Amino acid sequence: NISMVEKKKTELYQELGLQARDLRFQHVMSIATRNNRIIMRMEFLKAVITPEFLLILDYRNVSLEHWLLNELASQLAGEGQLVTYSLPFEFRAIEAILQYWISKLQGRLNTLQPQILETLEALVDPKLLSVDRSKLHILLQNGKSLSELETDLKVFKETILEILDEEEVIEELCLSKWTDPQVFEESTSGIDHAEEMELLLENYYRQAEDLLNEARELRVLIDDSESIIFINLDSHRNVMMRLNLQLTMGTFSVSLFGLIGVAFGMNLESSLEEDPRIFWLVTGIMFLGSGLIWRRLLSFLGRHLDPPLPPHVPAVLKKSQPAAGRVEIKTSLKGDTFGLSRSTLTNQ
């Protein structure tokens, strides 16, 4: 049965037998027990669990109507996929809240994952010579959302782990074991409620761990893609620097032999200007000398910037082992430009 009430906080904590500080919910995550009541804080989801009912506070402010009316009632009645229908009410209530929260985290991850993969695929495309700034902006936003998701998953894990490390707290979460004598007798006869509660919390701890591993894989992909992007940018930057250096060397070569033209351009008389062939001879010497100097500088640049050739590998290497098995290794090296090698491994 679902009912909606409006009460002042003073009336509410007096009715529940709690202190005022117990209902001062903040956007934190914690699971605690007070006066045979379970107080759960899942950021915006604030709940108080008793052996008889589940109280969700301020549900209208966070748009929880759909979950409360369509999903929560069936889960508490044992009609959903939850497996705690044979256990007391607080088990079903705790699992319903944990299931809702882990589903929210899973939904956020499912939304981010295709967006991040699509953006990374577009950024590391080798056909693109430049990086799209709009894609980088989208990746920055997705990376920020992924960091927030990782933080929420870590806090969720730590909250559950703190309970798993304290056996007394697990015992206190089993409310019906201490309030209902019949349930207590059943627990002593064969059903260990504390163990069931521990298994319940461990289940959602593992689910949070799996989600966190997927988020970490996405983070590794983002870091690797950033490294690839930086390598591509460095490669383009090196090409531009090399082109600039080549043009600078060409300018130096032309300027060096341009001094001859400067000398003949002075207002000084000599016997050379009277010969009509001197102009073409000096011009040819200038262009030919500039070209030769430029080629020599390019050759010097190539020898110091190009990577060295790989070391020579013998043509055929054979190694055989008798006794139990025989292993033959053959390696052939073709003398092409790239130094490619082909290897064949036969194990008999």
Side-chain angles (χ1 to χ4, degrees), residues 140-154:
L140 179 62
Q141 293 179 343
N142 292 335
K144 183 179 179 181
S145 301
L146 184 62
S147 299
E148 294 176 355
L149 177 59
E150 289 178 348
T151 302
D152 293 341
L153 286 170
K154 290 178 181 178

Side-chain angles (χ1 to χ4, degrees), residues 30-189:
S30 64
I31 302 175
T33 57
R34 295 284 191 280
N35 194 18
N36 205 27
R37 303 285 190 267
I38 300 175
I39 303 172
M40 296 188 67
R41 300 178 177 92
M42 295 291 169
E43 293 187 0
F44 59 83
L45 179 57
K46 310 165 187 178
V48 178
I49 302 174
T50 70
E52 296 81 17
F53 61 86
L54 167 64
L55 180 63
I56 305 294
L57 303 180
D58 299 332
Y59 65 93
R60 293 180 180 177
N61 297 335
V62 291
S63 302
L64 293 175
E65 288 87 350
H66 176 76
W67 174 63
L68 291 175
L69 299 176
N70 299 332
E71 299 179 9
L72 181 59
S74 61
Q75 291 177 353
L76 294 178
E79 299 174 359
Q81 298 179 354
L82 304 183
V83 295
T84 54
Y85 54 88
S86 61
L87 294 172
F89 175 80
E90 65 270 14
F91 284 79
R92 300 196 295 271
I94 292 175
E95 184 162 11
I97 295 176
L98 295 179
Q99 178 67 28
Y100 171 78
W101 192 252
I102 205 74
S103 300
K104 294 286 291 185
L105 297 176
Q106 179 72 54
R108 291 169 57 185
L109 181 61
N110 293 338
T111 303
L112 283 175
Q113 188 172 15
Q115 296 178 359
I116 292 176
L117 294 178
E118 182 181 358
T119 305
L120 293 179
E121 184 178 359
L123 287 174
V124 299
D125 189 359
K127 298 179 181 179
L128 299 177
L129 298 179
S130 61
V131 179
D132 190 356
R133 292 186 177 181
S134 61
K135 296 292 185 181
L136 287 177
H137 183 66
I138 295 174
L139 183 62
L140 179 62
Q141 293 179 343
N142 292 335
K144 183 179 179 181
S145 301
L146 184 62
S147 299
E148 294 176 355
L149 177 59
E150 289 178 348
T151 302
D152 293 341
L153 286 170
K154 290 178 181 178
V155 173
F156 182 78
K157 280 182 51 184
E158 292 174 357
T159 303
I160 297 180
L161 187 60
E162 289 177 358
I163 300 176
L164 293 175
D165 292 339
E166 299 291 339
E167 296 182 359
E168 296 179 356
V169 178
I170 296 178
E171 291 281 352
E172 292 176 357
L173 292 177
C174 304
L175 304 179
S176 300
K177 183 176 180 180
W178 312 107
T179 57
D180 191 347
Q182 183 179 359
V183 173
F184 181 76
E185 292 177 0
E186 292 178 355
S187 63
T188 55
S189 61

Side-chain angles (χ1 to χ4, degrees), residues 89-346:
F89 175 80
E90 65 270 14
F91 284 79
R92 300 196 295 271
I94 292 175
E95 184 162 11
I97 295 176
L98 295 179
Q99 178 67 28
Y100 171 78
W101 192 252
I102 205 74
S103 300
K104 294 286 291 185
L105 297 176
Q106 179 72 54
R108 291 169 57 185
L109 181 61
N110 293 338
T111 303
L112 283 175
Q113 188 172 15
Q115 296 178 359
I116 292 176
L117 294 178
E118 182 181 358
T119 305
L120 293 179
E121 184 178 359
L123 287 174
V124 299
D125 189 359
K127 298 179 181 179
L128 299 177
L129 298 179
S130 61
V131 179
D132 190 356
R133 292 186 177 181
S134 61
K135 296 292 185 181
L136 287 177
H137 183 66
I138 295 174
L139 183 62
L140 179 62
Q141 293 179 343
N142 292 335
K144 183 179 179 181
S145 301
L146 184 62
S147 299
E148 294 176 355
L149 177 59
E150 289 178 348
T151 302
D152 293 341
L153 286 170
K154 290 178 181 178
V155 173
F156 182 78
K157 280 182 51 184
E158 292 174 357
T159 303
I160 297 180
L161 187 60
E162 289 177 358
I163 300 176
L164 293 175
D165 292 339
E166 299 291 339
E167 296 182 359
E168 296 179 356
V169 178
I170 296 178
E171 291 281 352
E172 292 176 357
L173 292 177
C174 304
L175 304 179
S176 300
K177 183 176 180 180
W178 312 107
T179 57
D180 191 347
Q182 183 179 359
V183 173
F184 181 76
E185 292 177 0
E186 292 178 355
S187 63
T188 55
S189 61
I191 302 177
D192 191 349
H193 286 186
E195 184 178 355
E196 292 292 337
M197 181 63 70
E198 184 178 0
L199 293 175
L200 171 64
L201 296 175
E202 285 183 353
N203 178 33
Y204 287 95
Y205 178 83
R206 293 193 189 97
Q207 293 186 33
E209 180 69 23
D210 294 338
L211 293 180
L212 186 58
N213 290 335
E214 294 182 13
R216 288 170 178 170
E217 291 178 359
L218 287 178
R219 176 64 59 187
V220 171
L221 286 178
I222 292 177
D223 295 339
D224 293 343
S225 300
E226 288 179 353
S227 301
I228 294 175
I229 293 172
F230 290 149
I231 290 174
N232 291 334
L233 292 177
D234 291 340
S235 177
H236 296 317
R237 189 182 299 109
N238 293 336
V239 171
M240 297 302 297
M241 293 176 62
R242 183 165 184 168
L243 178 61
N244 186 22
L245 184 58
Q246 291 175 351
L247 294 177
T248 302
M249 290 187 300
T251 304
F252 170 75
S253 303
V254 173
S255 301
L256 181 62
F257 280 86
L259 295 176
I260 301 176
V262 173
F264 279 92
M266 292 188 297
N267 296 325
L268 298 176
E269 296 182 356
S270 63
S271 59
L272 297 178
E273 66 269 7
E274 298 177 357
D275 192 345
R277 296 173 296 178
I278 291 298
F279 172 77
W280 300 107
L281 179 62
V282 173
T283 303
I285 292 175
M286 290 171 56
F287 280 100
L288 181 60
S290 300
L292 290 176
I293 292 296
W294 192 40
R295 291 295 299 173
R296 293 287 296 178
L297 291 176
L298 290 180
S299 177
F300 175 80
L301 179 65
R303 288 196 305 269
H304 287 78
L305 294 183
D306 291 341
L309 295 176
H312 179 69
V313 180
V316 178
L317 295 176
K318 294 184 179 180
K319 182 179 180 180
S320 59
Q321 295 181 357
R326 184 183 64 185
V327 178
E328 296 182 359
I329 302 177
K330 299 180 180 180
T331 305
S332 61
L333 177 66
K334 294 184 179 179
D336 51 1
T337 306
F338 302 98
L340 298 177
S341 63
R342 179 177 301 173
S343 301
T344 303
L345 176 63
T346 304

